[in-house]
């Protein structure tokens, strides 16, 4: 068995407590002990999303299943949907809404910059808009979009507000109710630190009202919220077989998050980021986004001219057993992505990475000052 330090854009290393939960015996999907676990997962997820929404659960599948669930229930053919596209995942949201028959209006922003809420407001003002969709933490660029400001734009124009918080949930403050977000989804394997395979999701009252008013049924059975709710909610009737062990492990990961406390966890992510940013700066590297909008859990490093990024990542992986991410979409070959998510958001991981990064750069003939990165990270506040 090979174990890596997973410092890419996800998955992140899973705490052993959650891995052990995967070894629990399989129970039937309607076993009272399993149903109690599902109920606990809902309650814990409400705390993590900071929402009172009763319709909060974990869909089977990765983050993209959450995206599919949110849009499949809320988009009706012909709906005008304004989508913020300043990275790869915003683009995926736009394409998914188009495939569901929406009239999609993309508000495009530079990759590596946060979106300007005024541009979103202008697009919303042009015609009656059913839905506003945005990504809180753009994993492809390392940028945080201003969720509260964007949600306020949607609310002002009477559009439902939909948020992708796959990378932010568990690592940055995500307060669904306070933001004014009507539906949001995430993924289990990034800052939540659970195995891949579940997508937490929450729907508020305004979103439920739109689903109730649909002219045609939701065009998917697997992702039909109200049907799935009959399994997760009071009725406890079969919808599909839940991935039993995955739910156990997810429950355990959520328990660890709440035991640590959300505020402490956010500060841990911020502190690891500060150490990494200081180390990289001392080694002569820059981060792509402006300082005020950088994600703590996903650091986009601008590649200098002439650096063979594939060879660098290969050295890190095969010699140091550290995985980092390449650029995605428009940023392929232009950035490296270093994730500090969940368990890996700590200074020991940062020091390990910086030392290995320096050695790998040296093998490529790009030697930074010896030890400068590690020293700066150790000295960072
Ligand atoms: C990872 C990610 C997704 C997709 O999640 P998968 O688990 O890969 O399906 C969607 N949005 C964002 C912002 C992500 O980082």
């Amino acid at each position: 068995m090979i174990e890596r330090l997973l410092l890419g854009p996800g998955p992140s290393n899973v705490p052993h407590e959650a891995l052990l939960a995967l070894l629990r015996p399989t129970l039937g999907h309607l076993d009272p002990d399993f149903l109690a676990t599902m109920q606990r997962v809902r309650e814990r997820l409400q705390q993590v999303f900071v929402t009172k929404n009763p319709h909060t659960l974990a869909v089977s599948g990765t983050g993209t299943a959450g995206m599919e669930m949110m849009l499949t229930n809320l988009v009706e053919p012909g709906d005008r949907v304004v989508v913020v596209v300043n990275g790869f995942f915003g683009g995926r949201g736009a394409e998914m809404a188009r495939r569901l028959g929406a009239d999609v209006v993309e508000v495009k922003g530079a990759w590596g910059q946060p979106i300007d809420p005024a541009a979103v407001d202008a697009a919303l003002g042009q015609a009656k808009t059913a839905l506003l969709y945005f990504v809180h933490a753009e994993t492809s660029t390392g940028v945080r979009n201003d969720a509260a400001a964007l949600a306020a734009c949607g609310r002002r124009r009477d559009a439902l507000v939909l948020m992708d918080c796959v990378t932010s949930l568990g690592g940055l403050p995500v307060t669904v109710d306070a933001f004014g977000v009507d539906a949001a989804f995430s993924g289990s394997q990034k800052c939540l630190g659970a195995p891949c395979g579940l997508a937490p999701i929450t729907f508020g009252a305004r979103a439920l009202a739109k689903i109730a008013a649909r002219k045609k049924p939701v065009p998917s059975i697997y992702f039909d919220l109200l049907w799935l709710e009959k399994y997760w909610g009071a009725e406890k009737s079969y919808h599909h077989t839940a991935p039993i062990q995955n739910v156990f492990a997810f429950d355990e990961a959520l328990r660890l998050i709440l035991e640590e406390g959300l505020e402490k966890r956010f500060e841990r992510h911020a502190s690891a980021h500060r150490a990494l940013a200081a180390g990289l700066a001392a080694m002569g590297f820059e981060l792509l986004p402006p300082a005020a909008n950088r994600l703590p859990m996903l650091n986009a490093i601008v590649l200098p001219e002439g650096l063979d990024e594939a060879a660098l990542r290969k050295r890190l992986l095969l010699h140091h057993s550290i995985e980092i991410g390449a650029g995605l979409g428009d940023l392929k070959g232009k950035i490296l992505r270093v994730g500090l998510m969940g368990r890996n958001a700590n200074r020991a991981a940062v020091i390990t990475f910086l030392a290995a990064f320096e050695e790998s750069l040296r093998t490529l003939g790009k030697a930074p000052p010896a030890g400068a990165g590690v020293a700066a990270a150790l000295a960072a506040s």
Side-chain angles (χ1 to χ4, degrees), residues 9 62-65 67 89 92 135 137-139 164 166-167 185 187 189-190:
T62 63
T64 306
M67 190 186 285
F89 288 104
R92 174 173 287 187
V135 179
E138 232 326 328
T139 323
D164 169 342
V166 173
T167 283
F185 71 94
Q189 80 275 20
K190 299 193 184 186

Side-chain angles (χ1 to χ4, degrees), residues 27-365:
L27 293 180
H29 63 280
L30 293 174
D31 188 288
D33 187 57
F34 184 67
L35 293 175
T37 303
M38 291 170 75
Q39 181 57 30
R40 203 166 46 240
V41 164
R42 306 193 84 166
E43 290 163 10
R44 288 177 167 161
L45 270 179
Q46 286 171 330
Q47 289 177 257
V48 172
F49 274 125
V50 197
T51 182
K52 294 200 164 62
N53 292 338
H55 287 69
T56 301
L57 46 86
V59 188
S60 309
T62 63
T64 306
M67 190 186 285
E68 203 88 52
M69 171 117 188
M70 187 166 81
L71 289 172
T72 306
N73 282 273
L74 291 173
V75 172
E76 286 180 275
D79 277 350
R80 185 171 195 264
V81 180
V82 169
V83 182
V84 169
V85 182
N86 59 342
F88 176 88
F89 288 104
R92 174 173 287 187
E95 175 60 15
M96 204 178 271
R98 265 192 299 274
R99 290 188 184 197
L100 290 164
D103 168 18
V104 171
V105 177
E106 296 187 15
V107 180
K108 292 199 168 106
W111 287 41
Q113 294 293 324
I115 203 75
D116 178 4
V120 175
D121 195 56
L124 288 168
Q126 281 162 5
K128 172 80 192 110
T129 303
L131 309 169
L132 166 64
Y133 180 101
F134 68 89
V135 179
H136 185 208
E138 232 326 328
T139 323
S140 62
T141 65
V143 162
R144 179 181 56 79
N145 284 314
D146 186 341
L150 293 173
C153 292
R155 291 249 155 177
R156 214 163 33 237
R157 303 285 186 177
D158 209 25
L160 289 185
V161 179
L162 279 49
M163 178 171 72
D164 169 342
C165 55
V166 173
T167 283
S168 48
L169 194 67
L172 261 182
V174 173
T175 52
V176 167
D177 291 357
F179 283 166
V181 163
D182 296 295
F185 71 94
S186 188
S188 55
Q189 80 275 20
K190 299 193 184 186
C191 292
L192 297 175
C196 322
L198 285 171
I201 195 161
T202 184
F203 290 83
R206 297 199 321 156
L208 291 174
K210 185 169 193 310
I211 296 171
R214 286 184 68 98
K215 289 177 208 74
K216 286 198 176 150
V218 173
S220 161
I221 285 176
Y222 207 81
F223 293 120
D224 184 328
L225 172 70
L226 297 183
W227 197 341
L228 182 58
E229 176 61 25
K230 290 184 179 166
Y231 177 32
W232 279 82
E235 195 175 308
K236 314 272 183 234
S237 62
Y238 170 75
H239 174 265
H240 70 267
T241 308
I244 307 292
Q245 276 84 358
N246 222 310
V247 176
F248 282 141
F250 191 54
D251 181 40
E252 186 61 11
L254 293 174
R255 184 186 70 75
L256 292 171
I257 290 172
L258 296 171
E259 181 183 83
E260 177 178 15
L262 290 172
E263 291 308 320
K264 269 197 184 156
R265 193 174 177 90
F266 301 151
E267 176 45 31
R268 180 162 60 76
H269 281 79
S271 162
H273 163 74
R274 287 194 299 272
L276 178 65
L280 289 170
M283 292 170 76
F285 288 90
E286 279 176 29
L287 294 174
L288 179 68
N293 289 81
R294 280 179 196 155
L295 297 175
M297 69 286 284
L298 196 288
N299 298 272
I301 305 173
V302 179
L303 277 170
E305 284 295 314
L307 182 62
D308 182 347
E309 66 91 23
L312 183 74
R313 284 186 295 108
K314 190 171 170 196
R315 177 81 187 170
L316 281 166
L317 187 72
L318 300 183
H319 195 73
H320 298 285
S321 218
I322 297 175
E323 178 183 271
I324 65 166
L328 203 56
D330 290 0
L331 291 173
K332 196 171 186 324
K334 297 189 177 137
I335 60 167
L336 292 170
R337 294 183 299 153
V338 178
L340 298 169
M341 298 181 176
R343 196 183 93 177
N344 299 338
N346 67 76
R347 290 185 168 221
V350 169
I351 302 297
T352 305
F353 166 73
L354 288 169
F357 190 49
E358 181 186 319
E359 191 277 344
S360 304
L361 287 165
R362 190 157 295 121
T363 63
L364 295 169

